[in-house]
Amino acid sequence: MEIVCLDLEGVLVPEIWIAFAEATGIEELKRTTRDEPDYDKLMNYRINILKEHGLGLKEIQDTIATIDPIPGAKEFLDELRSMTQVIIISDTFTQFAKPLMQKLGWPTIFCNSLEVAADGEITGFKMRVENSKYTTVKALQSIGYDTIASGDSHNDLGMIEASKAGFLFKSTDQIKADHPELPAYEKYDELLAAIKEVIGQ
């Protein structure tokens, strides 16, 4: 049995932190996992910037409410889910993901959680498990699934490389150059065709 594991931001929806950086004018918040492989370092950097500017969860959620899926993402996901099981494995947070999942038709998502003070200040974050994307695909394999994975960033490489088949999608030129062994696609119909071939559809 196959199960498809997809990244969320940059693959199905725009990058939340880039949207928030644009909404607030804080350029430093445009840094993402495409730029910084160490996720803990990246999140602590973001939390410090939020604190400096007096921004909290509500302000980020207000921006997320304005974000729509990437054009074609929901249709791609709907077709994929009609053929096989799909899980979104993301390093985002439950407090961010819900409105985006609604716009995508409520797919299953495994993600993390923020630690938030009573006044809405983001004080920390709790990862579901260490190295969550890789750990999750290995867990799925341990219960009898062949995983097929796709993502765009440094933190997706573990799950892509550990899977029966893995694809870069809308990735950076640098990541594609560093990993020429991984097929890379820019359009949903190309990714769908590649997955169909793996699952024999």
Side-chain angles (χ1 to χ4, degrees):
M1 284 182 73
E2 289 99 2
I3 192 162
V4 176
C5 301
L6 297 174
D7 178 36
L8 177 65
E9 293 178 67
V11 172
L12 299 170
V13 303
E15 293 278 352
I16 291 167
W17 288 97
I18 290 176
F20 188 60
E22 289 169 351
T24 58
I26 302 169
E27 285 294 308
E28 302 97 308
L29 287 175
K30 287 189 174 176
R31 193 165 178 77
T32 72
T33 50
R34 287 168 165 237
D35 314 299
E36 175 53 71
D38 184 332
Y39 191 75
D40 283 6
K41 182 177 170 185
L42 178 63
M43 271 309 299
N44 286 314
Y45 166 82
R46 289 165 168 169
I47 288 169
N48 287 333
I49 292 169
L50 293 175
K51 193 167 190 170
E52 278 172 34
H53 291 269
L55 296 167
L57 180 59
K58 182 186 182 302
E59 289 81 8
I60 301 174
Q61 288 178 327
D62 287 347
T63 295
I64 292 169
T66 70
I67 296 174
D68 287 321
I70 295 168
K74 185 176 185 299
E75 293 78 7
F76 159 77
L77 201 53
D78 287 346
E79 186 165 352
L80 190 57
R81 290 167 72 195
S82 76
M83 298 185 299
T84 189
Q85 295 297 309
V86 180
I87 294 176
I88 297 170
I89 305 176
S90 173
D91 278 338
T92 194
F93 305 96
T94 54
Q95 294 94 332
F96 292 178
K98 189 174 179 181
L100 299 170
M101 293 306 97
Q102 183 175 7
K103 290 178 180 179
L104 287 169
W106 298 112
T108 298
I109 183 168
F110 292 175
C111 60
N112 306 303
S113 59
L114 290 168
E115 294 167 351
V116 184
D119 64 357
E121 181 189 344
I122 297 170
T123 57
F125 59 98
K126 188 171 190 308
M127 302 300 279
R128 191 169 43 81
V129 288
E130 193 176 339
N131 198 358
S132 63
K133 297 186 180 194
Y134 172 80
T135 304
T136 302
V137 298
K138 294 307 286 183
L140 289 165
Q141 290 164 7
S142 78
I143 57 170
Y145 283 99
D146 286 327
T147 58
I148 300 164
S150 185
D152 68 323
S153 295
H154 289 287
N155 63 336
D156 299 311
L157 293 170
M159 74 171 180
I160 290 171
E161 291 168 343
S163 291
K164 172 185 176 180
F167 310 103
L168 292 170
F169 187 70
K170 296 184 182 291
S171 192
T172 66
D173 290 342
Q174 187 61 58
I175 291 173
K176 287 187 280 191
D178 290 345
H179 296 275
E181 75 283 3
L182 297 176
Y185 301 110
E186 297 298 319
K187 296 179 179 175
Y188 290 115
D189 57 355
E190 296 170 339
L191 181 57
L192 190 66
I195 294 171
K196 279 182 173 179
E197 195 170 326
V198 178
I199 64 177
Q201 289 265 345

